[in-house]
Amino acid sequence: MKNKYNINHVAIIMDGNGRWAQQRGHKRTFGHEHGVEAVHSVVEGAGEMYIPYLTLYAFSTENWNRPKEEIDVLMRLISKAIADELDNLMANNVRVLTTGRIEELPRESREDLERVIETTRNNTGLTLVIALSYSGRSELVDTAKKIAKQAADGLLNPDDISESTIQNNLYHPEIPDVDLMIRTGGDLRVSNFLLWEIAYAELFFSPILWPDFRKEHLREILEQFTSRERRFGKTGEQVRAH
Ligand code: FPP
């Protein structure tokens, strides 16, 4: 563990962009544009706090049901924001990955993202994972398909399937479990995000709408996280004895 918070992986559901814009009399997409400033601040903060992995929920599989205009703006905004940040990501030693059904994204967005992934692949600081066309259930469906194919090909006996078989067939088996999941925007929901990976995560809900969220808010939540006792099914006495 590289940081004083004992954290490997923070995941954030960036919620509240639409409401932030509507409160100001603007279209929802105005909120997404300002959400980019919050992403910038939080990525910078996570690096400064030596967090190894940060996963951001940028676009869920359910988001494909939004009006086409909003989808188009979001797709362009997300890939462009990341591509525009390339120099900054390199300067901060950030490695970028994506997770989700990336093949469903428009070709232009995919190409922008692939360029950033390729350019940053040897960076050794924060790993920033952008969840795009992602849902926890579809990740588990895709995982089940991979495992079923191995069994059908005679490479795996179904009786040997264990938790590690599932872990090893996720989109990113190498990424550690989520320690802390944050949702902004005031709703108390998990919304199909990283369902397998959050099994033992601590959950924090912030009333702040995403465009107003900054690294100072992340720091405050990390400070609170350190005072929670994580028992992983054990008793408090057992945990404190170690
Ligand atoms: C949820 O707010 C937010 C999203 C669906 C998109 C998040 C995207 C960004 C912040 C753009 C930049 C991202 C990156 C990774 C550069 P909402 O629209 O559901 O808000 P509401 O709950 O107020 O309607």
Side-chain angles (χ1 to χ4, degrees):
M1 215 71 70
K2 296 196 225 162
N3 51 68
K4 65 171 182 171
Y5 306 107
N6 233 4
I7 282 187
N8 272 321
H9 189 174
V10 176
I12 306 184
I13 300 176
M14 309 182 286
D15 199 19
N17 292 348
R19 280 166 284 162
W20 188 91
Q22 280 157 351
Q23 282 172 7
R24 287 162 179 76
H26 287 279
K27 285 201 289 191
R28 300 172 49 81
T29 49
F30 182 74
H32 300 317
E33 286 159 19
H34 282 268
V36 176
E37 292 158 29
V39 171
H40 181 94
S41 173
V42 164
V43 170
E44 195 173 75
E48 288 164 5
M49 292 174 241
Y50 301 103
I51 304 300
Y53 292 89
L54 172 68
T55 302
L56 300 179
Y57 207 179
F59 195 88
S60 70
T61 46
E62 290 80 13
N63 287 153
W64 290 114
N65 299 320
R66 292 197 174 189
K68 186 177 179 313
E69 188 211 336
E70 184 173 343
I71 295 177
D72 290 347
V73 169
L74 259 175
M75 282 297 146
R76 235 173 305 122
L77 187 72
I78 294 168
S79 52
K80 190 175 172 305
I82 294 171
D84 287 350
E85 288 281 334
L86 185 55
D87 288 348
N88 198 20
L89 293 165
M90 289 307 286
N92 286 290
N93 199 17
V94 177
R95 177 171 70 125
V96 176
L97 297 176
T98 53
T99 190
R101 290 181 174 164
I102 303 302
E103 66 281 5
E104 294 175 348
L105 302 187
R107 192 163 58 97
E108 215 178 65
S109 305
R110 247 177 15 233
E111 286 171 356
D112 277 350
L113 291 162
E114 273 158 18
R115 205 169 331 110
V116 175
I117 293 169
E118 186 49 37
T119 313
T120 63
R121 65 189 290 227
N122 292 321
N123 288 347
T124 55
L126 171 73
T127 298
L128 170 64
V129 188
I130 315 285
L132 282 162
S133 193
Y134 176 87
S135 91
R137 286 187 173 182
S138 49
E139 176 171 26
L140 292 174
V141 168
D142 293 345
T143 300
K145 282 186 188 165
K146 284 194 232 167
I147 296 172
K149 280 189 189 128
Q150 291 161 27
D153 291 346
L155 300 168
L156 176 71
N157 177 348
D159 287 334
D160 293 337
I161 293 174
S162 65
E163 289 191 10
S164 14
T165 320
I166 296 182
Q167 176 66 36
N168 293 336
N169 287 283
L170 295 172
Y171 291 147
H172 286 288
E174 77 288 5
I175 298 183
D177 272 357
V178 175
D179 298 295
L180 166 62
M181 187 162 89
I182 301 168
R183 182 187 187 120
T184 64
D187 285 329
L188 310 181
R189 285 195 285 274
V190 168
S191 296
N192 211 352
F193 193 34
L194 300 171
L195 297 179
W196 178 269
E197 298 85 343
I198 61 166
Y200 289 101
E202 294 290 327
L203 308 181
F204 278 75
F205 297 94
S206 167
I208 297 171
L209 302 177
W210 179 252
D212 287 331
F213 198 84
R214 290 293 177 272
K215 61 180 169 185
E216 291 71 25
H217 302 115
L218 174 64
R219 193 184 294 277
E220 254 169 57
I221 293 175
L222 290 171
E223 294 294 342
Q224 287 178 40
F225 171 87
T226 56
S227 65
R228 292 209 188 166
E229 182 180 74
R230 303 183 74 201
R231 291 198 289 276
F232 300 98
K234 295 185 178 164
T235 67
E237 290 72 22
Q238 284 175 308
V239 171
R240 285 187 293 271
H242 281 95

